Amino acid sequence: MLKLVADDPWLEPYATVLESRGSRLRERLQSIVRAHGSLRQMASAHKEQGFHYDHDAGCWLYREWAPRARGLSLIGDFNGWDREAHPMIRGADGVWEIVLSDESGGPVLKHEDRVKVHVRGVRGERDRIPALIRRAVQDRETLDYCGQIWRPEKAFAWTDAGFTPDEQLLIYEAHVGMAQEREGVGTYREFAERILPRIARGGYTAVQLMAVQEHPYYASFGYHVSSFFAPSSRFGTPEDLKFLVNTAHELGLAVLLDVVHSHAVRNLAEGLGEFDGEDGLYFHEGGRGYHRSWDSLLFDYGRDEVLRFLLSNLAYWLEEHHFDGFRFDGVTSLLYRHHGDHVVFDSYDKYFDDGVDGDAVLYLQLATALCREIRPEGIFVAEEMSGMPGLCRPIEEGGIGFSHRLAMGIPDYWIRLLRHSRDEDWDLHEMWRVLTNRRRGEATIAYAESHDQALVGDKTIAFWLMDRHMYDAMHRRSGNPVIDRGVALHKMIRLASLALGGEAYLNFMGNEFGHPEWVDFPREGNGWSYHYARRQWSLADDPGLRYHDLLAFDRAMLRCVREAEVLGAGPAVQRYVDVPNQALVFERGGLLFAFNFHVERSLPAYALPVPESSNWRVLLDSDASEFGGFGRVDGAMYYPVFETGTGREIRVYLPNRTALVLGAAGEAAELAAVGLPEYSPEVD
């Protein structure tokens, strides 16, 4: 019996389907070995197609897959864009090629030359950007995109040998272009020099980069990809991106690429649609190849060449740019023929019925197998909302092979709660269920909010809590009750999500300090302004503002869970839910977490059950003055254990809208030696 089924008896009726998935994968791997020698060799299209310079032969070789095209020719700066000058020759496998031998002045194609391929198909002729181009640039005047030959004199010198990701995964989700405070587009080097140190100081262990793959429309947030092998030229050169990754590794940060293999841009001028002159090729034909909600094209995962293209794309980013893993975007859409649109996953049947795209499942299994072969310690995250069983279980156990999945229900829960419920009506039993509801044995990344909640059309948690008051009442001396409530709950929501929600944690840049503005990229509707496509770090750096306090709490929170290795300690154990007092108490990783969500009632001498007889200390207090709180708990206190008829307990002061994290502090004599006062539960 597959281990996945043994661990979840509800899957027994579907064991045959799971076994058939495994059989199909094994058969495909065998066919790949026969055809290519290995999976790794199959995923090497980027080494065979596209542009490559042969030093020994003194020539450029360019190859392009276009099986139904009537003719291809290479055009560019080197030949005055003459569509007749350099025709390509079609091979038996539908791959066209051309060899350009060096001339007396050196290579025909030179560094930074602009190029395209002219395709003659049954529907006419069109100039296209080569499919595996490694750099695409936009003309500032015509706005036309072209491929660009990229062959700098000196190869980038990596210094990250031996780097491995931290086992405690704390992800900082970021967008390079909008990471600077100035209005405009930030660069890879600016991000490396100015933002990466912030991320490292903040206690995060990984950075997840959005919008790296080239995309023609900036406001797509990088999700309408056109050139899959090209780092976005908006932010700099490929060497600049390598500098960013290398710098991150030197700072101890893993780097994940937000990879988009679930769909592609529909634009024919920049993308892959109708590449050989007809519908299909990389994508499904007709309606199945079009995503109505996203206005984009859908890959045909059943075609060998499409599999090779996508798998090679993963290998390229891991090998060429040293990424430590991926966050796979839109996995739900990829897995199902219906893309999850208007489908409620209320039965296991829906994970195994005709709505599932078996070719897509196979692709993901091949993808995770390849990624683990190239980067065994890598991080491979699925953005998936249906709850597909086994998504993050090893393939040999019946799974699909991802290392983590995103807890997409958690941010939806917080927004729904803030939007529709009074504070007095928060159901802590529901909170516990939502934050702890995840599949056993599948690592989950918890997050209170991501880029989705920061976009125009939605609101961040800070905005839901404080709204317009954030613009004129965030000074420490403001005394605004709306801000007081918002700051308190902002900290509690993030701590609860981190402590209960998973085995890893994610935050979108700026949200850690309650960034006061949404994300709105330049567009016609805002006068093409960059005002809202930036991050105002100066707000967090000003000690007179509450933004500074929220940032201080975020750093202390991450330090606390990292030092105790909470995320690797298994699920939290609930001690009790105190509905009348709106208190939630649980234990995880040897620490005790106590939340008081009551709007006004503080709890003096509040009894908390503890597992050890040693004294306890407050390790983190959301109400501490340095975190923008009222400082009602004395952080220097230690709490002796009281034996009761039912066990051990300590008695603490738990103010309203406050979360405390407590840890065992050692024997009383040891603490007394350093002069720590003892807490008296009778004194409020």
Side-chain angles (χ1 to χ4, degrees):
M1 178 184 291
L2 291 170
K3 192 172 189 306
L4 177 62
V5 178
D7 289 346
D8 183 357
W10 289 96
L11 287 172
E12 289 182 7
Y14 314 97
T16 302
V17 179
L18 290 166
E19 290 167 355
S20 68
R21 288 180 182 176
S23 297
R24 186 183 182 191
L25 173 63
R26 288 190 292 273
E27 292 170 2
R28 177 54 68 90
L29 285 171
Q30 290 170 1
S31 69
I32 287 171
V33 170
R34 288 193 297 270
H36 301 280
S38 67
L39 178 62
R40 186 81 172 264
Q41 188 59 37
M42 179 199 186
S44 62
H46 57 295
K47 299 179 181 179
E48 300 164 13
Q49 297 179 25
F51 291 89
H52 298 279
Y53 184 72
D54 188 329
H55 288 273
D56 295 332
C59 64
W60 278 96
L61 176 63
Y62 167 52
R63 293 192 180 101
E64 193 72 71
W65 179 57
R68 298 170 299 181
R70 295 180 175 180
L72 266 67
S73 59
L74 181 61
I75 58 176
D77 292 332
F78 76 103
N79 66 2
W81 300 91
D82 185 344
R83 297 184 177 91
E84 306 297 330
H86 290 87
M88 299 175 68
I89 299 173
R90 188 188 191 281
D93 54 0
V95 176
W96 299 70
E97 71 174 43
I98 185 172
V99 177
L100 300 172
S101 298
D102 290 355
E103 298 177 346
S104 58
V108 176
L109 295 176
K110 296 180 174 56
H111 179 56
E112 296 187 335
D113 274 358
R114 294 174 302 157
V115 293
K116 284 190 176 183
V117 58
H118 183 67
V119 180
R120 299 177 181 88
V122 297
R123 298 182 182 178
E125 303 181 7
R126 186 182 293 273
D127 298 338
R128 307 299 300 264
I129 297 176
L132 278 79
I133 198 72
R134 300 192 181 192
R135 181 163 168 82
V137 294
Q138 186 177 32
D139 187 285
R140 293 185 178 181
E141 295 181 1
T142 66
L143 302 184
D144 181 40
Y145 267 92
C146 288
Q148 189 176 52
I149 298 299
W150 198 254
R151 185 172 170 256
E153 291 185 7
K154 294 183 179 180
F156 182 80
W158 293 94
T159 61
D160 63 347
F163 173 81
T164 56
D166 194 308
E167 292 184 359
Q168 298 188 73
L169 186 56
L170 301 166
I171 304 172
Y172 198 84
E173 183 185 38
H175 184 288
V176 168
M178 54 166 287
Q180 304 304 316
E181 185 149 358
R182 63 177 173 82
E183 295 189 26
V185 179
T187 69
Y188 295 124
R189 286 196 172 259
E190 285 178 319
F191 189 89
E193 294 167 352
R194 301 176 185 176
I195 309 305
L196 285 178
R198 282 183 174 271
I199 298 171
R201 286 197 304 270
Y204 292 89
T205 61
V207 57
Q208 178 179 298
L209 294 181
M210 306 174 63
V212 170
Q213 294 174 293
E214 190 61 81
H215 49 290
Y217 184 40
Y218 191 43
S220 75
F221 229 143
Y223 291 119
H224 277 187
V225 175
S226 52
S227 296
F228 285 77
F229 290 80
S232 178
S233 58
R234 283 186 184 86
F235 313 136
T237 69
E239 278 62 43
D240 292 337
L241 175 59
K242 292 175 182 179
F243 176 80
L244 187 162
V245 175
N246 194 68
T247 301
H249 288 166
E250 290 178 343
L251 292 170
L253 295 167
V255 189
L256 309 182
L257 173 67
D258 196 347
V259 72
V260 185
H261 283 184
S262 50
H263 64 132
V265 73
R266 189 168 60 89
N267 307 24
L268 295 184
E270 296 91 7
L272 298 173
E274 300 182 18
F275 192 86
D276 64 352
E278 297 184 47
D279 191 18
L281 196 64
Y282 287 98
F283 310 102
H284 288 289
E285 294 184 4
R288 191 180 173 192
Y290 178 65
H291 198 302
R292 294 184 179 275
S293 299
W294 294 348
D295 188 29
S296 55
L297 301 179
L298 298 168
F299 287 104
D300 182 354
Y301 304 104
R303 301 196 68 169
D304 285 348
E305 283 295 339
V306 175
L307 284 179
R308 192 165 189 236
F309 176 85
L310 295 174
L311 292 172
S312 299
N313 189 236
L314 298 175
Y316 164 76
W317 291 110
L318 293 174
E319 295 169 348
E320 181 70 18
H321 290 277
H322 290 206
F323 280 94
D324 301 291
F326 303 105
R327 180 262 200 186
F328 284 72
D329 176 69
V331 171
T332 303
S333 176
L334 188 154
L335 280 172
Y336 301 96
R337 296 174 187 268
H338 50 65
H339 314 303
D341 290 345
H342 310 295
V343 175
V344 178
F345 292 90
D346 53 0
S347 165
Y348 270 37
D349 291 343
K350 295 181 180 179
Y351 300 124
F352 304 100
D353 62 17
D354 293 339
V356 178
D357 186 339
D359 292 336
V361 172
L362 177 62
Y363 162 64
L364 290 178
Q365 290 176 314
L366 290 170
T368 57
L370 172 71
C371 289
R372 290 187 180 279
E373 181 180 343
I374 298 173
R375 190 79 81 245
E377 75 287 355
I379 302 157
F380 308 107
V381 181
E383 188 215 23
E384 209 282 314
M385 52 73 62
S386 78
M388 170 69 79
L391 187 70
C392 301
R393 293 290 290 270
I395 291 171
E396 59 270 20
E397 295 181 4
I400 295 179
F402 285 98
S403 64
H404 296 78
R405 71 193 314 154
L406 289 168
M408 299 184 70
I410 293 178
D412 291 343
Y413 165 74
W414 288 124
I415 298 301
R416 187 172 65 252
L417 193 68
L418 295 173
R419 185 174 186 176
H420 297 295
S421 299
R422 300 186 311 156
D423 297 1
E424 296 89 334
D425 299 330
W426 287 14
D427 184 341
L428 298 189
H429 288 288
E430 179 190 38
M431 183 184 296
W432 175 269
R433 287 194 302 271
V434 171
L435 295 181
T436 60
N437 181 26
R438 54 188 181 272
R439 293 193 62 81
R440 186 176 66 174
E442 299 198 32
T444 298
I445 299 173
Y447 60 110
E449 53 188 340
S450 69
H451 69 272
D452 289 327
Q453 288 72 41
L455 286 167
V456 163
D458 203 340
K459 288 184 179 181
T460 62
I461 287 175
F463 246 125
W464 279 112
L465 288 167
M466 296 175 280
D467 207 76
R468 61 179 178 81
H469 297 273
M470 299 182 72
Y471 291 106
D472 55 18
M474 285 294 280
H475 198 279
R476 275 194 157 200
R477 296 191 298 270
S478 68
N480 186 303
V482 173
I483 297 297
D484 290 341
R485 167 189 176 263
V487 168
L489 291 179
H490 193 272
K491 292 177 288 186
M492 296 179 74
I493 286 171
R494 306 183 88 73
L495 179 59
S497 301
L498 170 60
L500 284 176
E503 290 69 42
Y505 180 70
L506 177 141
N507 167 69
F508 177 66
M509 65 176 186
N511 287 353
E512 71 276 13
F513 64 86
H515 196 280
E517 293 175 348
W518 53 82
V519 175
D520 190 14
F521 287 97
R523 55 186 173 84
E524 187 175 1
N526 65 17
W528 303 104
S529 170
Y530 286 91
H531 182 74
Y532 296 108
R534 61 193 181 112
R535 298 286 89 176
Q536 297 188 61
W537 306 107
S538 59
L539 297 175
D541 294 340
D542 186 339
L545 298 179
R546 306 292 282 276
Y547 299 109
H548 182 81
D549 301 334
L550 291 175
L551 177 61
F553 177 78
D554 193 74
R555 291 180 173 181
M557 176 180 74
L558 297 188
R559 183 170 61 250
C560 180
V561 298
R562 282 189 70 179
E563 290 178 354
E565 299 183 352
V566 169
L567 295 177
V573 177
Q574 184 187 120
R575 288 308 174 190
Y576 49 75
V577 176
D578 182 351
V579 173
N581 290 313
Q582 284 292 85
L584 174 64
V585 181
F586 58 89
E587 185 185 329
R588 190 177 184 192
L591 302 183
L592 196 63
F593 295 80
F595 290 77
N596 179 357
F597 286 98
H598 204 284
V599 298
E600 59 182 4
R601 183 183 302 163
S602 296
L603 304 172
Y606 195 60
L608 303 178
V610 293
E612 298 183 25
S613 58
S614 60
N615 297 280
W616 288 69
R617 292 265 330 261
V618 172
L619 304 179
L620 182 67
D621 171 16
S622 70
D623 190 55
S625 57
E626 62 265 32
F627 305 142
F630 294 98
R632 291 170 288 178
V633 176
D634 188 344
M637 293 289 183
Y638 77 89
Y639 300 89
V641 173
F642 295 87
E643 297 287 344
T644 69
T646 57
R648 304 183 182 94
E649 66 180 32
I650 58 175
R651 299 167 192 172
V652 304
Y653 177 36
L654 186 60
N656 69 309
R657 286 183 176 148
T658 295
L660 300 179
V661 182
L662 300 103
E667 297 299 325
E670 296 177 5
L671 293 172
V674 295
L676 296 178
E678 180 173 346
Y679 173 69
S680 173
E682 288 76 23
V683 179
D684 182 6

